[in-house]
């Protein structure tokens, strides 16, 4: 057995995690993309996406999670999400107002509708997902550092 | 009427936010970017705010509806005399402090983190000032406050973390009072737009619920403004932060999140009743006296300045609480002056710490010989805060005292005069122990600070000296008078 298998939780937890973690991630993406037609949205979906990575970290240890989403990447996505959201807001100036919904609104209750709102949801989910993962990472690393001393 | 030019109003929030995230995205890899982008953004905001004085004079009150939603439904932004005045104060000071940080923050490892947090805080403050929506005010208040908690802990030394933790806890309690107040007010008026809320309150009348809300706001914003019963976090938090942040916190944060928000709500939304006015007078006077007395006994330079901030906030609240035209004018004038000279003095203390490595007044002495510019600017800052005639602080204190006498509040006028003398005494102490006298042997090797720090201190010192010109009628009419008229409209 390689060293990676010794870290994290028991085999049962690892197996269940392996089966569910992708579904959790997909469910998060679903909540984000349907934010404008059903309950949920960028924040809720972002939290679920972050939870899928946190789940991975709990079951397999932090190296396995960092292999999927490193700290640098999380930090990048967090800032990029914020910039993206601000860009959507500033693009509204093109049509005259800050935050103006300048895209075509489409037919209500369709996936491709509501103008800039789905774009805003995606931006928020990036920010929230990466941010929550970064906060969790910071808390985990802080604990490990204090144990070393 | 919406004009394309009004689109500059949301820029006061959008530009610092964009700056913060761009710096966090690229600042780690490109070494010079945080400094260059930071100074550029601060300069742009400063120019924009001064230019907005013209705009607000041309249109009196500009209502901007974000996303073109009709006012009571969508989020509104408002640019009137008072918000323009505050924008100029905040962005002018922020610009000087950004220049100073270019050199000062060299000794910290992650400069880009500093600039990110700094601009988030600035976005929060500008947001609080331009917003016309109650809940939006709370959101921006929290953005500014949370960024400032992190900035106080920036050095990550033991005492800094302790101060930041204390500040975070007390700040959060204050924010919760504000949130509860907003929730109750929303329940009573069914609207969040400030102008709409004021109209509903006039129509429905003020009952016990408004009394409750007033007290919640007094506690919440009083905590942010560090009025005396709620001041305990300030003497720890302000000295622990890096000097540019101390300057920012004492200079503008407690004013924009505390005093400005307090006034905006009490004057323009709820309406200033005589009862609230007397509470403000009493709180202001207590802050003035307690802050002044506590400052006198301090030997830590930055701690002394922090207590002195409490005392000067007392003057501002006293002036505003008088609710007479002259009193409000004096209070706002003192708010402007205090942001300038208190940030200058904190930058001076940072320069002294940068050069000598200590904040203890007893370990200093004769610094004037080695650091002539820091000494001279500290002298002008001290003279201004103590109220020596040609300097700016003299005029604003004089107006507050005259206003108190005019309103026949002789007791308050007496305390204001007395604390003014006490202020002179405490700054004489600073000058005597730190800058005059004989140079200590341990300090022979020190050098004057780098050029950007000198430049920023010199600019602020010049504003201290010529601050009185704000009272020349041409400038006064377009700038200070407009701001005080906005508040005066809300006195009942």
């Amino acid at each position: 057995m390689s060293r990676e298998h010794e870290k994290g939780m028991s085999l049962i937890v690892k197996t269940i995690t392996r089966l569910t973690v992708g579904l959790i991630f997909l469910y998060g993406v679903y909540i984000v993309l349907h934010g404008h037609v059903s309950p949920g949205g960028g924040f809720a979906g972002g939290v679920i996406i972050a939870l899928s990575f946190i789940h991975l970290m709990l079951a397999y240890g932090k190296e396995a999670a960092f292999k999927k989403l490193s700290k640098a990447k999380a930090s990048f996505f967090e800032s990029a999400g914020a910039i993206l959201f601000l860009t959507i807001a500033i693009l509204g100036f093109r049509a005259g107002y800050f935050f103006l919904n300048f895209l075509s609104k489409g037919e209500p209750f369709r996936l491709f509708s509501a103008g800039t709102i789905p774009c805003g949801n995606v931006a928020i989910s990036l920010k929230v997902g990466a941010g929550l993962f970064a906060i969790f990472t910071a808390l985990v690393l802080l604990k490990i550092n204090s144990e070393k001393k | 009427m919406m004009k394309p030019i009004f689109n500059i109003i949301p820029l006061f929030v959008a530009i610092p936010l964009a700056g913060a995230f761009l710096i966090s995205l690229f600042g780690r890899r490109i070494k010079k970017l945080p400094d260059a982008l930071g100074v550029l953004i601060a300069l742009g905001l400063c120019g924009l705010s001064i230019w907005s004085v013209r705009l607000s004079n041309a249109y009196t009150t500009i209502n901007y509806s974000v996303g073109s939603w009709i006012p009571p439904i969508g989020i509104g932004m408002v640019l009137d005399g008072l918000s323009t005045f505050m924008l100029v104060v905040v962005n002018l000071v922020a610009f000087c402090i950004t220049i100073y940080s270019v050199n000062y923050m060299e000794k910290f490892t992650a400069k880009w983190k500093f600039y990110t947090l700094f601009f988030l805080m600035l976005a929060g403050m500008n947001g609080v000032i331009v917003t016309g929506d109650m809940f939006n005010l709370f959101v921006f208040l929290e953005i500014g406050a949370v960024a400032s908690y992190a900035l106080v802990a920036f050095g990550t030394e033991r005492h800094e973390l302790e101060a930041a933790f204390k500040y975070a806890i007390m700040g959060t309690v204050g924010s919760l009072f504000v949130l509860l107040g907003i929730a109750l007010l929303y329940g009573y008026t069914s609207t969040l737009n400030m102008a709409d809320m004021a109209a509903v309150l006039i129509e429905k009348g003020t009952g016990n619920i408004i009394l409750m809300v007033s007290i919640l706001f007094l506690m919440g914003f009083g905590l942010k403004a560090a009025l005396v019963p709620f001041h305990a976090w300030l003497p720890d938090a302000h000295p622990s932060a890096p000097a540019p942040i101390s300057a920012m916190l004492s200079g503008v944060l407690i004013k924009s999140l505390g005093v400005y928000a307090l006034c905006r709500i009490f004057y323009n939304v709820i309406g200033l009743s005589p009862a609230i006015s007397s509470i403000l007078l009493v709180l202001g006077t207590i802050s003035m006296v307690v802050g002044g007395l506590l400052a006198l006994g301090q030997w830590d330079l930055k701690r002394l300045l922090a207590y002195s901030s409490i005392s000067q906030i007392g003057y501002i609240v006293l002036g505003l609480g008088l609710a007479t035209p002259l009193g409000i004018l004096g209070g706002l004038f003192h708010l402007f002056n205090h942001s300038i000279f208190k940030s200058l003095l904190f930058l001076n203390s940072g320069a002294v710490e940068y050069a000598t490595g200590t904040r203890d007044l007893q370990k200093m002495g004769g610094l004037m010989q080695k650091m002539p510019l820091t000494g001279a600017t500290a002298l002008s800052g001290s003279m201004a805060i103590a109220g020596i005639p040609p300097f700016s602080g003299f005029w604003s204190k004089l107006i507050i005292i005259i206003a108190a006498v005019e309103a026949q509040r002789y007791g308050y006028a007496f305390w204001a005069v007395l604390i003014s003398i006490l202020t002179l005494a405490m700054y004489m102490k600073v000058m005597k122990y730190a800058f005059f006298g004989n140079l200590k042997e341990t300090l022979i090797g020190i050098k004057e600070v780098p050029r950007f720090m000198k430049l920023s201190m010199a600019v602020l010192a010049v504003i201290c000296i010529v601050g009185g010109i704000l009272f020349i009628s041409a400038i006064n009419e377009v700038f200070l008078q407009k701001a005080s008229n906005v508040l005066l409209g809300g006195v009942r």
Side-chain angles (χ1 to χ4, degrees), chain B residues 117-118 120-121 138-157 159-178 220 223-224 233-234 236-238 240-242 245 249 253-254 257:
Chain B
L117 288 167
F118 182 87
L120 274 179
M121 185 166 85
F138 174 74
V139 171
F140 283 124
L141 184 99
E142 279 294 86
I143 294 178
V146 171
S148 73
Y149 305 151
L151 280 167
V152 167
F154 200 75
T156 62
E157 298 279 329
H159 67 277
E160 285 159 347
L161 292 175
E162 188 193 328
F165 192 69
K166 189 172 175 184
Y167 177 30
I169 297 290
M170 297 192 70
T172 311
V173 170
S175 302
L176 281 177
F177 283 137
V178 173
L223 219 149
K224 300 277 178 207
W233 57 272
L234 188 141
D236 286 329
H238 286 197
S240 301
I245 294 308
L249 294 179
L253 188 90
I254 52 174
L257 299 193

Side-chain angles (χ1 to χ4, degrees), chain B residues 221-302:
Chain B
F221 292 122
L223 219 149
K224 300 277 178 207
L227 287 172
V228 147
F230 319 111
H231 71 289
W233 57 272
L234 188 141
D236 286 329
H238 286 197
S240 301
I245 294 308
S246 314
M248 201 70 188
L249 294 179
S250 259
V252 290
L253 188 90
I254 52 174
K255 299 193 186 72
S256 57
L257 299 193
V259 177
Y260 168 82
L262 191 74
C263 292
R264 182 58 98 187
I265 288 179
F266 275 122
Y267 286 81
N268 295 140
V269 178
I270 298 178
L272 193 77
S273 62
I276 297 291
S277 160
S278 350
I279 292 176
L280 286 181
L281 284 176
V282 171
L283 286 183
T285 311
I286 295 176
S287 308
M288 206 162 74
V289 175
V290 173
L293 288 175
L294 289 172
L296 205 55
Q298 303 300 322
W299 286 103
D300 180 335
L301 178 52
K302 280 174 100 176

Side-chain angles (χ1 to χ4, degrees), chain B residues 52-339:
Chain B
S52 74
V53 174
R54 255 187 68 191
L55 199 65
S56 86
N57 267 291
Y59 297 98
T60 319
T61 305
I62 303 171
N63 289 306
Y64 185 88
S65 1
V66 176
S68 86
W69 293 93
I70 314 151
I73 299 166
I75 292 171
M77 288 184 171
V78 178
L79 193 76
D80 58 10
L82 184 62
S83 25
T84 325
F85 171 77
M86 287 303 297
L87 282 175
V88 171
V89 173
V90 168
N91 292 302
L92 181 67
V93 171
F95 172 54
C96 292
I97 288 170
T98 320
I99 300 179
Y100 182 92
S101 314
V102 171
N103 283 142
Y104 185 85
M105 295 310 288
E106 289 295 337
K107 62 177 182 175
F108 292 91
T109 44
K111 223 173 173 182
W112 60 276
K113 281 184 187 158
F114 168 79
Y115 280 113
T116 302
L117 288 167
F118 182 87
F119 282 112
L120 274 179
M121 185 166 85
L122 190 60
M125 283 190 281
N126 281 345
V128 166
I129 293 165
V130 295
T131 188
D133 183 276
M134 271 295 202
F135 190 72
N136 208 223
L137 181 124
F138 174 74
V139 171
F140 283 124
L141 184 99
E142 279 294 86
I143 294 178
V146 171
S148 73
Y149 305 151
L151 280 167
V152 167
F154 200 75
T156 62
E157 298 279 329
R158 193 183 181 82
H159 67 277
E160 285 159 347
L161 292 175
E162 188 193 328
F165 192 69
K166 189 172 175 184
Y167 177 30
I169 297 290
M170 297 192 70
T172 311
V173 170
S175 302
L176 281 177
F177 283 137
V178 173
L179 184 61
L180 185 58
I182 291 173
L184 289 175
L185 210 52
Y186 182 43
Y188 187 67
T189 61
S190 330
T191 174
L192 281 170
N193 186 287
M194 286 186 193
D196 206 32
M197 207 175 235
V200 172
L201 281 177
I202 289 174
E203 197 183 306
K204 276 183 110 171
T206 51
N208 282 337
I209 188 82
I210 297 303
L211 193 68
M212 173 83 180
V213 168
S214 302
I215 290 167
L216 286 171
F217 282 149
L218 260 181
M219 291 196 291
F221 292 122
L223 219 149
K224 300 277 178 207
L227 287 172
V228 147
F230 319 111
H231 71 289
W233 57 272
L234 188 141
D236 286 329
H238 286 197
S240 301
I245 294 308
S246 314
M248 201 70 188
L249 294 179
S250 259
V252 290
L253 188 90
I254 52 174
K255 299 193 186 72
S256 57
L257 299 193
V259 177
Y260 168 82
L262 191 74
C263 292
R264 182 58 98 187
I265 288 179
F266 275 122
Y267 286 81
N268 295 140
V269 178
I270 298 178
L272 193 77
S273 62
I276 297 291
S277 160
S278 350
I279 292 176
L280 286 181
L281 284 176
V282 171
L283 286 183
T285 311
I286 295 176
S287 308
M288 206 162 74
V289 175
V290 173
L293 288 175
L294 289 172
L296 205 55
Q298 303 300 322
W299 286 103
D300 180 335
L301 178 52
K302 280 174 100 176
R303 214 174 164 81
L304 186 148
L305 294 176
Y307 274 113
S308 153
S309 279
I310 299 175
S311 166
Q312 300 299 315
I313 283 287
Y315 272 100
I316 296 169
V317 172
L318 176 67
L320 293 169
L322 284 171
T324 59
L326 202 59
I328 292 175
L329 191 74
L332 289 177
F333 191 19
H334 198 62
L335 190 152
F336 176 84
N337 290 337
H338 181 247
S339 356

Side-chain angles (χ1 to χ4, degrees), chain A residues 75 79 82 86 93 96-98 100, chain B residues 2 7 24 28 64-65 67-68:
Chain A
S75 162
S79 303
L86 202 63
F93 279 140
Y97 280 94
F98 190 57
L100 188 71
Chain B
M2 168 71 194
N7 275 327
S24 91
R28 195 175 349 190
Y64 185 88
S65 1
S68 86

